[in-house]
Amino acid sequence: MSYVISGVPQGSVLGPILFLVFINDVISICCGDTIVKLFADDLKLYSIFNRTDHSIDLQHSIDELFKWSNLWQLQINLNKCQVLKIRTKCNSVVSSHYSLNDFVLSNVKLVNDLGVYVDSNLSFKHHIATVITKARQRAGVFFR
């Protein structure tokens, strides 16, 4: 017999329900206008602001997320944490850097979010090109 210090048992019938109960209070970390979106074990923090607004609330929410993860002994994979700034030409001057426990999060122009590629201009050209390439490859295998 071994004691479980933290976490949720993997592969059990109750595992998904226990996981939801375990992370249920993560939405309480939001500060100001920051919004949290959850899908399985993916968490997205975002905020909407213009040139005159500041992103202090978003950084504060990131700090609160780090405190929450330490409290519940959940490790955050820093290599998967990125910043995608979706902007129009009129608000392209906004530049701020975000950090998670003194680790500066990288700014990216393209992300793969649940299998869909999205860029900072909300263009899906890369995603469409990827889908077409995969379809051509599969069709080529089928016709051989």
Side-chain angles (χ1 to χ4, degrees):
M1 179 162 105
S2 65
Y3 294 98
V4 176
I5 298 170
S6 68
V8 173
Q10 298 289 317
S12 67
V13 175
L14 289 177
I17 293 170
L18 291 174
F19 179 74
L20 290 175
V21 169
F22 191 68
I23 65 162
N24 190 37
D25 66 333
V26 73
I27 59 171
S28 66
I29 60 134
C30 283
C31 301
D33 293 332
T34 306
I35 300 165
V36 174
K37 295 293 182 187
L38 291 167
F39 181 79
D41 63 347
D42 265 357
L43 180 135
K44 305 221 180 342
L45 288 173
Y46 68 92
S47 185
I48 301 169
F49 51 91
N50 58 33
R51 275 190 268 182
T52 59
D53 292 339
H54 297 284
S55 55
I56 296 169
D57 290 341
L58 187 55
Q59 181 60 56
H60 188 64
S61 294
I62 293 170
D63 296 337
E64 290 298 313
L65 175 65
F66 181 74
K67 289 178 193 173
W68 180 89
S69 69
N70 281 339
L71 175 69
W72 293 107
Q73 301 174 11
L74 290 172
Q75 289 196 349
I76 297 174
N77 187 346
L78 295 175
N79 296 324
K80 292 185 177 182
C81 296
Q82 301 170 330
V83 176
L84 175 67
K85 296 177 184 177
I86 299 175
R87 58 183 94 171
T88 60
K89 295 204 186 286
C90 65
N91 69 356
S92 61
V93 222
V94 175
S95 70
S96 52
H97 301 283
Y98 300 99
S99 61
L100 183 63
N101 192 30
D102 298 328
F103 177 82
V104 177
L105 300 176
S106 61
N107 288 311
V108 295
K109 296 196 181 286
L110 178 73
V111 293
N112 183 350
D113 185 23
L114 300 173
V116 178
Y117 287 96
V118 181
D119 70 8
S120 59
N121 296 319
L122 284 182
S123 168
F124 293 93
K125 290 178 184 177
H126 187 269
H127 178 73
I128 293 168
T130 303
V131 170
I132 289 171
T133 301
K134 286 181 183 179
R136 284 185 179 154
Q137 289 172 348
R138 291 179 182 151
V141 169
F142 179 72
F143 286 119
R144 281 188 202 153

